[in-house]
Amino acid sequence: MDSNGSGGKLDNERSVGMAQVIPSGTNLELTQDILDSLNVAQASDDNMKNLADIGGIEGLCARMSLNTKTGLTDAQVEAYRERFGPNVFPEKPMKSFLQLFIEAFDDTTLIILIVAAFVSLIVGSYEDPNKGWIEGMAILVAVLLVSVVTALNDYQKEKQFRDLEKNSEALERCSVIRNGEMIRINPDMLVVGDVVSLKSGDGIPADGVLFEGSGVKCNESALTGEPDDLKKDFFKDPFFLSSCEVTDTGTSGDAKVVCIGIGKESQWGKIKANLTSEASNTPLQDKLDDMVELIGKGGGGAAVLTFIALIAMIWLKHGGKEPWTHVIEAFIIAVTIVVVAIPEGLPLAVTISLSYSSGQMLREGNLIRQLQACETMGNATNICTDKTGTLTENRMTIVEGMFGGVHISQEAFESTNPTALMKGDFAYNCALNSNVFLQDKDETGKAYDRPKVVGSATEGAMVLLLRKWGIDYQALRDTYFSTSRDMQFPFNSTKKRSTVILCDFPEGGDKVKLLCKGASEVILEDCAYYADENGDAQKLTPEKKAEFLSLIDQMAGRALRTLAIAHKNYKDLNKIPADYRTDPPDGSDLVLDAIVGIIDPLRSDVKEAVKTAQGAGVMVRMVTGDNIITARAIAEQCGILTGSGETLTKEKFEQIKNDPAALDKLLPNVAAIEGPVYRNLTPAQADLVLGRVQVMARSSPDDKYLMVTRLNGHGLPSNQKEWETLHPGRDYATEKDKFLPGYKDEWKATRPNGGQVVGVTGDGTNDAPALKASDVGLSMGITGTKVAQNASDVVITDDKFSSIVRAILWGRSVYDNIRRFLQFQLTVNVVALLLVFIGSVAGFPPPLNAVMMLWVNLIMDTMGALALGTEKPTPVLLLRQPYLRDAPLVSKPMWRNILFQSAYQLVLLLVLLFMGTDFFGNEFLRGDYCLNWEVGNPNKLKDITTLGTEIMAGSSNSTETGMALNQLWYYPDTKCGDFYKICGESNNGVCYQNLFADISHFEDDCLENCAKTDYDYRHFTIIFNAFVWCQIFNEFNARQIKNDPNILAGITGSKMFLFVIIVTVLFQIFIVEVGGDWVRTTHIKFEYWIWSIIMGFFSIPIGFIMRFCPIWNEEDEDSFFGYVMPS
């Protein structure tokens, strides 16, 4: 039996079981083994038995020397941290750089290239032991470099993903009782024995045992896979598991647990080390992967054609000599073309850009939990935002009210002295019918300028008012409320109220007191009485009720949030309905004590942020639980409500709902609507409203969910079975078009361009469905519950609406950065592939050899991605409409830019290839032209051979010359190089006249180069150098993807871009001047460097001119998908 003569299981559940006695002779030492015995996975029965064996929760607390009312002392905290360790979970070790480096070779293209390089190495070494190995080794070195860069990028990507998780964890807080005070700390600071207070929607930070709370439920699906919420009680299962969530605190304001398993000793910690999440592709990365595959196929085709052309040259140019050598060279070139053609840098650019942007966004109040959210926000067309704490400062203050039937204006309220009523039922309601507490110091002990409200800001305003009046809210709780006896029902979004039932109230004659607070007009509707100035209950007449309703409207018109405070007394528990423990009798015969007006100032930046979002084509919709007058007033203040649209209240809807013509005429002009009206519209009617509506008042989380799903089509029933599950008892055939949210086929038929891209803000547990249904869920970092944060993609760490607008800006920046890189890379691809193919078909050795193309590939992929993927956003990005979901990545202006630059570069390089010697003279000729130039059928071959024999028989000094001449017998043709071997450099005039002058077709222009026994690299070095300088300058052009000719805009702020340009230039100088036989480059005169730079620089004026070309100078209007705000 309880103190009121009433008993029952629930009352026993509410107690901690203090009657249990610790067994005599028990060892009171607390060990890790004892804690482990209470925390065995999937063994709650055994855990309960072991808990009972040590004396239940009392025995456990005794071993901890723990007072559950005051929590641990600072000394105990340090001692237990030293003894049992910190609440830090182990992590699966990151892959080392060496592992990632080895994995980088798991690429088919690179493997083929390595095999080809080894073949080239072996064959080349056999044919020319001195230098034949260089090309194969150079390719291997280049592949090694590519693999190192790939490994570095993969390492950075994994590190970024882990940093993302750590940033999220660093912002987490939990409520703990220490030293007799409730404080907020990071879960990492928890120790064994800590008393943790958990509310509905909180994540569980450590394994623990429940000792206070009733009707508590937890969702353990994250750990056990059990999808249903599990009830926690003191007799069957009081065990809480870390990484899970509290979904309901029942009739308690909170659930209090004692920590018994932390960090690696918790059930989650024991398995987390093997459960590290892996980063997955974002939608943009998937889109680019498709493009990579398409470009790769084109490059593969070009490689095949080039290979065929090079094979043909073996017989057309080389007469079929050394076929295997040429086949290997052709194969290497073809594979290298594939390497260059496949733009692996595109997904890499997304990773780099997202990594950079997410880090910057965190500094600006956006913690990105899902990487795709960053890019998706850039094309958001709708933001459905809460009011409190997002548009406002979340610093609620009561500034006006009606107490005891008397209105106190804002001017008089500041100096009002509390009456007996204010100190009585009103104060009890403020203190006991809430879970909020005030924190005066931060974690370091530094005092706040203003008490920090932990919990509901609305309830915070009420306890702050009590403190202002000199009333100790905590003392009232300690005096009048007992968790083992009294009932507490947290705010119910359907009933729009929260309630407390005090079962043994010591004041006055009535033993039972019900305290209720909630939406003013809703509570007023359930009131039969009101308290006068003396606190006596008076009949609530229609006139008095109209007076109160008028006051509510007046305060709402002043943008005040109104709250009604009421109570009801019972003589004892026998007079209260029997089901009061589960269904409080708070819906009738209430006594109205007060109506308060609460001001929550708009954030200083919200008006500008809303205006900016609207200018970017984004419809901002405020979804709030306030009444429609307050909601409209605030929406007008912050600029959300534009134009002079209609207001559709429940009363007005009831009047015209049976007049379809009038309703269809009104709905497209509705700017503000009440939630109960919206949820009763048909799908077609809802579509009419959504084209204009900017405010939804008196909304429930379900109303927000219905709005979101109707906008973006997520979660709509796709077949009859799903529809009937959503609407039980309804007939699909006749009613499928009558109820929201509609169904998939009907929704698609009315939206040929697809759905809207919707961002949704939410802070409560009930917001989770809408956050999940949105394209980007935005939870609040300060006021949001753990359930809401886990359901979201982005955590707004400062709860500001302006941070959401900055997320749109950064999202658009990511999208444009990827397009910049794409424009740059496609230009390089087109030019490199066509140059190598045309050169090969024309009979030249490949103008860009394998090592050169691998260097170009490095410029394109990593260097280009770093340079163009980290451009900072500019405000101009918010002056355009969002893009359609399926808008092409490469716009018409981008294609124009690519074609202009490709045409210039290709023409330039082909001119250098075919006519370079005409411009630069015979100082260098075409590669190995002279080295391999053949006389063909020498008419004096016999005489030369005879001469060789004579020389060999004579002077020993002439033996080498004689041997060289004699060897000519074995060659069918005489080459230019033979001139040097036979005649040398000193006497070549006489030697030439005697031996070579009358040989037919001997080309005199080659004489001065005949002394060269090596390949002349200068020709193709200049082609390679000019090509790379074209890319360096075109990187500046790629910074602008539209018609803006100012390619240097913001260049001083793009430090990474400038760094990459400098590094690329330095590496290019090194490769040209030092590369030698490895890269097949050679030192060129300063004059040629200047020419190369000038030829590359001409990409800049070409880029300037092309932006004024009238062809393809604007993007398709059909690519955009946003709103023009009503005016």
Side-chain angles (χ1 to χ4, degrees):
M1 298 292 290
D2 63 9
S3 61
N4 294 292
S6 176
K9 181 179 178 181
L10 184 62
D11 291 311
N12 290 330
E13 287 182 0
R14 300 182 65 83
S15 69
V16 184
M18 290 299 180
Q20 296 178 1
V21 179
I22 303 172
S24 60
T26 298
N27 180 2
L28 293 181
E29 182 184 4
L30 184 67
T31 66
Q32 187 63 55
D33 289 341
I34 292 175
L35 294 175
D36 289 343
S37 72
L38 307 179
N39 197 24
V40 180
Q42 303 291 333
S44 58
D45 291 342
D46 292 341
N47 295 339
M48 280 298 300
K49 180 180 180 302
N50 293 331
L51 180 62
D53 288 345
I54 64 169
I57 188 68
E58 296 82 1
L60 178 64
C61 293
R63 291 170 184 270
M64 295 177 172
S65 300
L66 172 67
N67 182 330
T68 56
K69 289 291 184 182
T70 60
L72 296 176
T73 64
D74 291 339
Q76 287 177 307
V77 168
E78 293 306 316
Y80 286 143
R81 181 175 288 118
E82 178 71 23
R83 189 172 183 181
F84 299 108
N87 190 36
V88 177
F89 296 105
E91 289 187 352
K92 183 179 179 180
M94 253 182 85
K95 289 183 179 179
S96 67
F97 175 79
L98 180 60
Q99 288 176 291
L100 293 171
F101 174 70
I102 294 172
E103 289 178 4
F105 288 96
D106 188 19
D107 180 278
T108 304
T109 308
L110 285 182
I111 291 172
I112 293 173
L113 202 55
I114 291 169
V115 172
F118 272 111
V119 173
S120 173
L121 187 66
I122 295 169
V123 174
S125 298
Y126 176 77
E127 293 183 348
D128 183 2
N130 292 326
K131 295 186 177 180
W133 58 274
I134 291 179
E135 180 180 23
M137 184 59 70
I139 294 172
L140 289 176
V141 171
V143 168
L144 183 68
L145 181 60
V146 169
S147 301
V148 168
V149 172
T150 302
L152 282 172
N153 289 328
D154 289 343
Y155 184 83
Q156 180 64 27
K157 185 175 181 179
E158 187 169 351
K159 185 175 182 297
Q160 174 212 1
F161 189 75
R162 288 177 180 247
D163 288 345
L164 206 61
E165 290 183 322
K166 289 179 180 178
N167 288 334
S168 179
E169 293 167 358
L171 295 174
E172 293 179 4
R173 292 293 182 272
C174 61
S175 298
V176 183
I177 299 176
R178 286 182 182 173
N179 302 305
E181 294 183 5
M182 184 80 77
I183 61 173
R184 300 276 288 173
I185 63 173
N186 187 282
D188 288 356
M189 299 172 66
L190 286 175
V191 298
V192 166
D194 260 326
V195 176
V196 180
S197 170
L198 299 168
K199 296 182 174 62
S200 178
D202 282 351
I204 302 173
D207 294 349
V209 180
L210 177 70
F211 71 86
E212 186 175 297
S214 174
V216 181
K217 293 181 180 179
C218 295
N219 187 295
E220 298 180 353
S221 58
L223 190 63
T224 66
E226 171 59 52
D228 297 327
D229 293 347
L230 301 178
K231 185 178 180 180
K232 299 293 178 178
D233 58 52
F234 304 116
F235 301 100
K236 291 184 178 180
D237 185 10
F239 301 104
F240 281 50
L241 304 179
S242 57
S243 82
C244 302
E245 296 167 349
V246 178
T247 55
D248 189 357
T249 54
T251 56
S252 307
D254 62 358
K256 291 188 175 67
V257 301
V258 175
C259 294
I260 61 170
I262 61 171
K264 62 186 178 66
E265 301 299 337
S266 68
Q267 290 193 31
W268 173 237
K270 289 173 182 177
I271 63 174
K272 187 177 186 292
N274 300 316
L275 291 176
T276 301
S277 300
E278 298 294 335
S280 58
N281 273 3
T282 70
L284 185 55
Q285 283 174 323
D286 288 334
K287 201 171 184 179
L288 288 172
D289 283 345
D290 294 337
M291 181 171 284
V292 166
E293 183 178 353
L294 182 63
I295 296 173
K297 289 178 179 178
V304 170
L305 292 175
T306 303
F307 181 74
I308 293 171
L310 290 173
I311 293 298
M313 288 299 108
I314 296 175
W315 286 270
L316 295 176
K317 179 184 177 184
H318 303 295
K321 297 178 193 175
E322 303 174 348
W324 286 111
T325 301
H326 295 302
V327 167
I328 293 170
E329 290 178 354
F331 183 68
I332 290 173
I333 291 296
V335 174
T336 307
I337 286 175
V338 174
V339 173
V340 175
I342 297 176
E344 303 96 337
L346 284 176
L348 173 63
V350 179
T351 301
I352 290 174
S353 189
L354 288 176
S355 175
Y356 171 74
S357 299
S358 60
Q360 295 297 315
M361 289 173 73
L362 180 60
R363 296 185 183 94
E364 297 187 8
N366 293 271
L367 171 63
I368 307 299
R369 297 186 69 251
Q370 301 292 335
L371 278 180
Q372 68 257 29
C374 184
E375 65 196 44
T376 305
M377 271 304 289
N379 289 324
T381 58
N382 286 259
I383 296 177
C384 300
T385 177
D386 292 335
K387 172 185 72 72
T388 304
T390 307
L391 301 174
T392 61
E393 292 183 356
N394 201 32
R395 296 181 63 172
M396 294 191 177
T397 307
I398 298 175
V399 295
E400 185 176 349
M402 182 283 297
F403 299 88
V406 178
H407 175 228
I408 302 176
S409 67
Q410 294 189 38
E411 292 76 15
F413 194 84
E414 187 66 26
S415 57
T416 296
N417 293 317
T419 63
L421 172 65
M422 294 176 180
K423 292 181 178 180
D425 285 338
F426 176 79
Y428 298 148
N429 215 322
C430 292
L432 308 181
N433 191 10
S434 69
N435 296 304
V436 71
F437 66 91
L438 303 180
Q439 193 170 347
D440 297 303
K441 297 179 290 185
D442 63 15
E443 296 172 13
T444 65
K446 182 181 178 181
Y448 290 117
D449 295 334
R450 182 180 189 268
K452 181 180 180 181
V453 175
V454 180
S456 165
T458 303
E459 293 179 350
M462 300 176 74
V463 297
L464 282 170
L465 180 62
L466 295 186
R467 177 176 282 192
K468 177 183 175 183
W469 287 346
I471 300 172
D472 186 342
Y473 73 92
Q474 190 59 51
L476 291 179
R477 291 175 181 175
D478 294 340
T479 302
Y480 295 111
F481 186 81
S482 169
T483 56
S484 64
R485 177 193 66 219
D486 303 323
M487 316 299 297
Q488 188 173 36
F489 300 89
F491 182 78
N492 185 302
S493 59
T494 302
K495 297 171 70 174
K496 299 292 184 185
R497 70 195 68 196
S498 64
T499 302
V500 164
I501 300 176
L502 306 176
C503 297
D504 189 16
F505 190 69
E507 307 290 340
D510 295 321
K511 288 293 185 181
V512 177
K513 183 178 288 290
L514 180 151
L515 302 172
C516 177
K517 73 175 188 300
S520 51
E521 64 270 26
V522 178
I523 297 294
L524 183 59
E525 193 64 34
D526 295 333
C527 288
Y529 308 92
Y530 73 95
D532 62 16
E533 293 181 78
N534 299 317
D536 298 327
Q538 303 294 334
K539 187 71 175 178
L540 183 62
T541 63
E543 294 76 19
K544 202 66 177 177
K545 183 176 181 180
E547 178 186 329
F548 292 152
L549 284 172
S550 175
L551 178 61
I552 290 170
D553 289 345
Q554 290 173 37
M555 286 194 285
R558 292 189 283 273
L560 299 182
R561 182 177 189 179
T562 59
L563 201 67
I565 312 297
H567 79 277
K568 188 196 306 189
N569 294 334
Y570 292 92
K571 185 175 182 181
D572 54 43
L573 287 174
N574 294 320
K575 300 299 182 181
I576 195 169
D579 62 349
Y580 75 93
R581 293 181 176 88
T582 56
D583 186 14
D586 55 6
S588 63
D589 295 327
L590 299 175
V591 180
L592 181 67
D593 295 315
I595 298 173
V596 295
I598 304 174
I599 191 171
D600 188 8
L602 287 181
R603 293 188 181 275
S604 58
D605 57 353
V606 74
K607 292 182 181 179
E608 187 62 32
V610 168
K611 183 180 179 181
T612 301
Q614 292 172 338
V618 180
M619 176 71 84
V620 181
R621 308 178 194 267
M622 186 175 80
V623 184
T624 177
D626 288 343
N627 72 45
I628 201 159
I629 298 175
T630 304
R632 277 203 67 130
I634 293 173
E636 288 174 353
Q637 284 184 6
C638 60
I640 288 176
L641 197 58
T642 59
S644 55
E646 298 286 344
T647 298
L648 184 55
T649 63
K650 184 178 179 181
E651 292 75 19
K652 189 172 183 178
F653 178 70
E654 292 295 330
Q655 295 171 7
I656 64 171
K657 69 179 182 180
N658 295 320
D659 185 351
L663 196 57
D664 289 347
K665 182 179 179 181
L666 172 68
L667 291 178
N669 298 311
V670 171
I673 192 172
E674 289 185 336
V677 176
Y678 178 78
R679 73 182 73 131
N680 286 301
L681 297 177
T682 67
Q685 291 171 339
D687 288 346
L688 293 176
V689 169
L690 291 175
R692 170 70 176 90
V693 73
Q694 294 168 310
V695 176
M696 183 185 286
R698 282 289 172 241
S699 69
S700 69
D702 285 342
D703 297 327
K704 184 189 289 188
Y705 175 79
L706 289 174
M707 174 181 277
V708 173
T709 54
R710 197 64 203 165
L711 284 168
N712 65 8
H714 293 182
L716 293 179
S718 57
N719 54 51
Q720 180 176 344
K721 183 179 179 181
E722 291 181 5
W723 190 92
E724 289 175 345
T725 301
L726 197 60
H727 304 286
R730 298 290 183 180
D731 181 59
Y732 178 77
T734 60
E735 297 183 296
K736 63 179 183 292
D737 293 317
K738 294 183 179 180
F739 298 100
L740 286 173
Y743 55 97
K744 203 73 173 181
D745 291 341
E746 162 269 329
W747 183 87
K748 283 184 176 179
T750 58
R751 292 164 173 80
N753 290 325
Q756 303 286 338
V757 179
V758 185
V760 174
T761 70
D763 54 9
T765 302
N766 290 336
D767 288 320
L771 291 170
K772 281 292 187 184
S774 68
D775 295 278
V776 181
L778 303 144
S779 65
M780 301 296 106
I782 299 174
T783 59
T785 64
K786 185 67 175 179
V787 172
Q789 291 173 0
N790 286 343
S792 68
D793 305 295
V794 179
V795 178
I796 308 300
T797 59
D798 55 11
D799 287 13
K800 293 181 180 179
F801 184 82
S802 57
S803 295
I804 299 173
V805 176
R806 286 196 292 272
I808 296 175
L809 178 64
W810 276 103
R812 293 190 177 187
S813 177
V814 167
Y815 192 81
D816 278 11
N817 284 348
I818 302 310
R819 299 173 91 202
R820 289 184 178 101
F821 176 71
L822 188 58
Q823 176 177 282
F824 170 70
Q825 189 172 53
L826 287 178
T827 303
V828 183
N829 264 26
V830 169
V831 176
L833 297 182
L834 287 177
L835 177 65
V836 173
F837 175 70
I838 294 172
S840 301
V841 171
F844 290 92
L848 300 177
N849 61 53
V851 180
M852 288 178 179
M853 284 199 286
L854 288 172
W855 165 237
V856 171
N857 192 54
L858 194 63
I859 294 176
M860 283 196 310
D861 285 358
T862 304
M863 309 291 275
L866 279 171
L868 297 171
T870 56
E871 288 282 337
K872 291 184 177 180
T874 59
V876 73
L877 292 173
L878 295 175
L879 298 180
R880 64 164 170 81
Q881 299 281 296
Y883 283 107
L884 268 170
R885 289 177 184 268
D886 298 326
L889 276 173
V890 184
S891 64
K892 286 183 177 179
M894 289 172 65
W895 278 123
R896 176 202 62 195
N897 299 347
I898 292 168
L899 292 176
F900 263 80
Q901 289 295 333
S902 298
Y904 165 69
Q905 291 183 24
L906 193 59
V907 168
L908 169 67
L909 297 173
L910 289 178
V911 167
L912 288 177
L913 181 64
F914 287 97
M915 305 171 64
T917 54
D918 297 332
F919 291 136
F920 294 99
N922 284 328
E923 183 174 342
F924 71 90
L925 294 176
R926 291 176 297 182
D928 59 355
Y929 177 77
C930 286
L931 185 64
N932 291 321
W933 184 82
E934 297 173 351
V935 176
N937 300 318
N939 55 16
K940 295 187 70 175
L941 187 59
K942 183 177 180 181
D943 295 337
I944 294 174
T945 306
T946 301
L947 179 60
T949 303
E950 294 172 355
I951 293 175
M952 289 176 66
S955 171
S956 61
N957 293 334
S958 303
T959 300
E960 290 186 9
T961 303
M963 291 179 65
L965 285 167
N966 195 47
Q967 287 173 2
L968 292 178
W969 177 261
Y970 301 101
Y971 293 95
D973 301 306
T974 297
K975 296 184 178 181
C976 175
D978 296 324
F979 172 79
Y980 171 72
K981 292 178 183 177
I982 295 170
C983 297
E985 295 182 356
S986 59
N987 61 345
N988 56 18
V990 176
C991 182
Y992 170 72
Q993 291 295 331
N994 292 336
L995 300 179
F996 290 92
D998 54 355
I999 295 180
S1000 61
H1001 306 300
F1002 194 90
E1003 189 165 322
D1004 294 343
D1005 287 342
C1006 282
L1007 284 177
E1008 61 184 272
N1009 288 283
C1010 280
K1012 293 185 177 295
T1013 57
D1014 294 334
Y1015 192 99
D1016 187 351
Y1017 297 132
R1018 282 177 292 179
H1019 183 196
F1020 286 175
T1021 298
I1022 289 188
I1023 293 176
F1024 169 59
N1025 203 29
F1027 175 71
V1028 171
W1029 278 102
C1030 282
Q1031 310 323 314
I1032 291 172
F1033 284 107
N1034 192 39
E1035 247 176 309
F1036 287 87
N1037 284 320
R1039 297 184 71 239
Q1040 294 291 351
I1041 55 178
K1042 295 184 181 178
N1043 296 320
D1044 188 353
N1046 185 8
I1047 59 175
L1048 298 180
I1051 191 71
T1052 55
S1054 300
K1055 294 182 174 58
M1056 181 59 72
F1057 180 89
L1058 296 174
F1059 172 76
V1060 167
I1061 294 295
I1062 293 170
V1063 169
T1064 304
V1065 169
L1066 293 177
F1067 267 98
Q1068 179 64 14
I1069 294 172
F1070 176 82
I1071 287 173
V1072 168
E1073 295 295 329
V1074 183
D1077 290 325
W1078 288 81
V1079 191
R1080 293 189 177 179
T1081 58
T1082 190
H1083 164 73
I1084 55 176
K1085 295 193 302 184
F1086 182 71
E1087 173 189 348
Y1088 294 156
W1089 274 104
I1090 297 300
W1091 276 111
S1092 298
I1093 295 171
I1094 290 173
M1095 288 183 286
F1097 177 78
F1098 266 95
S1099 294
I1100 300 293
I1102 294 293
F1104 182 85
I1105 294 169
M1106 73 186 181
R1107 299 182 196 279
F1108 294 95
C1109 175
I1111 302 174
W1112 289 358
N1113 61 344
E1114 294 294 339
E1115 294 190 71
D1116 287 331
E1117 292 184 4
D1118 293 340
S1119 296
F1120 298 100
F1121 193 45
Y1123 289 88
V1124 176
M1125 296 304 115
S1127 60

